[in-house]
């Protein structure tokens, strides 16, 4: 086992605690997760069986590739067991309450990861669960993604404090979670969104106030050129999130000027990288040239999901 790999695990402010959003987590917990995630990444596949005997339920009420595989692979590498459960295969899909599901799962597993639609579903699960609940994406938030995003940017540029990341497109769950993690780490996040598709103003205001204390901040503009000026990372995500399907055509029209392409990246800081949480829609929010080109940090970003979430679980359950 690489020496010192699990130093500081579990973090006292994370042990036994749910991750719904990072908004109420102390800033040092994000740094602790990112530091451990880096050590896990650097250790290659030589991970200790620190989750041996632990079981994590993963409930997916929406499709997933990265979240499911990264949690399952990370837990397996740490010697633990995961149960990936499709919502429709559970009695939850036939009307059993979230409360009763939470009570039963709490008797059998050590943590529950939930991907669902309304964030309120996650809060309801957490209210009734006796074990930590982790947000595997809600319509409003995607905090596990934001951990991997921050890890990726920090690895490229050495620090987050004062570094600008532009988020171009829909002010969605990934945008909100990036702003929150940015606020805790001092990374400045500037979103460029068309009118009517901005992130929740309450989250922007909170992230700006919290971020400014650490050399960062959060802001929303309409012009992508303005957002990417000075940005070291340029992030985009689908224009049509899960749950937005009925608005797909209208959204494609609204977001037409918000594509991350080489011309937009040329206006960012020299050496800027492109980020995308994936899945990508090439020719819509990002071009093939950028996604698969030399300025893409997207594949590291996807890999870091496994490292960041393994680190989160170790600090939570360790
Ligand atoms: N980025 C992300 O959460 O991907 P999946 O929907 O594949 O889990
Ligand atoms: N914003 C996207 C992220 C997918 C990982 C969605 O919610 O569908």
């Amino acid at each position: 086992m690489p020496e010192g790999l699990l130093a500081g695990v579990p973090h006292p402010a994370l042990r036994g605690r749910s991750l719904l959003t990072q908004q109420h987590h102390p800033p040092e917990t994000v740094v602790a997760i990112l530091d451990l995630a880096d050590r896990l990444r650097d250790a290659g596949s030589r991970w200790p069986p620190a989750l041996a005997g632990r079981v994590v339920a993963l409930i997916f009420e929406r499709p997933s590739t990265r979240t499911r595989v990264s949690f399952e692979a990370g837990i397996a590498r740490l010697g633990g067991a995961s149960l990936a459960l499709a919502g429709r295969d559970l009695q939850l899909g036939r009307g059993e309450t979230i409360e009763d599901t939470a009570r039963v799962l709490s008797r059998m597993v050590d943590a529950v990861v939930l991907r669902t639609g309304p964030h309120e579903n996650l809060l309801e699960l957490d209210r009734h669960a006796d074990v930590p609940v982790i947000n595997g994406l809600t319509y409003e938030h995607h905090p596990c993604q934001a951990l991997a995003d921050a890890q990726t940017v920090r690895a490229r540029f050495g620090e987050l404090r004062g570094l600008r990341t532009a988020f171009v497109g829909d002010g969605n769950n990934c945008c909100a979670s990036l702003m929150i993690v940015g606020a805790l780490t001092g990374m400045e996040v500037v979103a460029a969104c068309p009118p009517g598709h901005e992130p929740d103003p309450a989250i922007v205001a909170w992230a700006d106030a919290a971020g400014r204390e650490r050399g960062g901040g959060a802001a929303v503009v309409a012009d992508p050129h303005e957002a990417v000026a000075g940005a070291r990372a340029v992030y985009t995500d689908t224009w049509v999130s899960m749950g937005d399907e009925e608005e797909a055509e209208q959204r494609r029209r609204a977001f037409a000027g918000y594509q991350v392409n080489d011309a937009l990246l040329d206006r960012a800081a020299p050496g800027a990288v492109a980020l995308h949480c994936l899945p990508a829609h090439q020719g819509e929010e990002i071009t093939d040239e950028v996604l698969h080109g030399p300025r893409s940090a997207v594949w590291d970003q996807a890999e870091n999901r496994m490292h960041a979430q393994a680190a989160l679980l170790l600090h939570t359950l360790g």
Side-chain angles (χ1 to χ4, degrees):
M1 182 190 314
E3 208 166 291
L5 181 64
L6 298 185
V9 170
H11 192 286
L14 288 169
R15 187 175 198 178
R17 187 167 179 185
S18 293
L19 174 58
L20 309 174
T21 82
Q22 271 106 358
Q23 230 171 330
H24 304 292
H25 284 214
E28 62 271 18
T29 62
V30 175
V31 176
I33 292 167
L34 299 185
D35 288 349
L36 177 57
D38 282 352
R39 296 201 297 274
L40 290 168
R41 182 199 59 213
D42 294 345
S45 56
R46 295 166 61 227
W47 290 8
L51 292 184
R54 316 304 286 277
V55 181
V56 180
L58 313 168
I59 304 176
F60 290 95
E61 296 194 305
R62 301 273 167 96
S64 170
T65 298
R66 279 142 290 268
T67 304
R68 176 175 174 175
V69 176
S70 56
F71 267 114
E72 291 215 73
I75 292 165
R77 285 173 191 277
L78 291 166
S82 55
L83 305 169
L85 307 162
R88 65 176 177 279
D89 293 338
L90 297 174
Q91 295 288 8
L92 194 58
R94 295 180 58 241
E96 186 171 16
T97 63
I98 293 174
E99 173 176 350
D100 290 357
T101 304
R103 288 181 189 280
V104 171
L105 291 183
S106 296
R107 299 288 183 107
M108 302 178 189
V109 304
D110 297 291
V112 181
V113 177
L114 175 64
R115 167 167 292 197
T116 186
H119 195 71
E120 181 52 36
N121 290 349
L122 183 82
L123 300 180
E124 173 77 357
L125 186 78
D126 186 55
R127 271 194 290 275
H128 299 290
D130 297 324
V131 296
V133 169
I134 294 172
N135 184 348
L137 180 146
T138 62
Y139 187 75
E140 292 87 347
H141 295 279
H142 199 358
C144 290
Q145 180 67 53
L147 290 172
D149 302 340
Q151 189 191 358
T152 307
V153 175
R154 197 177 75 160
R156 291 284 172 142
F157 300 109
E159 62 173 339
L160 295 171
R161 195 181 169 88
L163 180 146
R164 177 185 280 208
T165 292
F167 189 100
V168 177
D170 191 12
N172 62 16
N173 43 13
C174 291
C175 179
S177 292
L178 186 74
M179 284 187 167
I180 292 169
V181 162
L184 298 184
T185 56
M187 177 171 67
E188 181 189 14
V189 179
V190 181
C193 310
H197 297 284
E198 298 92 346
D200 179 351
I203 289 178
V204 180
W206 179 89
D208 190 43
R212 280 177 188 275
E213 290 173 23
R214 302 181 185 90
V220 181
V221 298
D223 180 3
H225 292 169
E226 189 180 340
V228 305
R232 312 288 296 279
V234 178
Y235 192 150
T236 191
D237 183 17
T238 182
W239 295 336
V240 185
S241 282
M242 293 179 276
D244 290 332
E245 291 81 2
E246 285 183 6
E247 299 175 8
E249 279 319 307
Q250 166 201 332
R251 283 174 163 266
R252 287 191 184 99
R253 282 194 296 277
F255 289 107
Y258 290 78
Q259 183 185 70
V260 172
N261 50 36
D262 277 316
L264 187 66
L265 276 178
D266 287 344
R267 288 175 168 261
V273 298
L275 299 173
H276 194 308
C277 65
L278 300 173
H281 305 80
Q282 294 165 44
E284 293 190 11
E285 76 275 3
I286 194 165
T287 58
D288 176 48
E289 290 73 22
V290 169
L291 182 65
H292 297 113
R295 294 196 274 194
S296 173
V298 171
W299 314 106
D300 287 348
Q301 188 185 2
E303 177 188 326
N304 285 335
R305 295 292 305 277
M306 181 172 76
H307 307 311
Q309 289 153 203
L312 168 68
L313 285 173
L314 286 167
H315 277 307
T316 304
L317 300 178

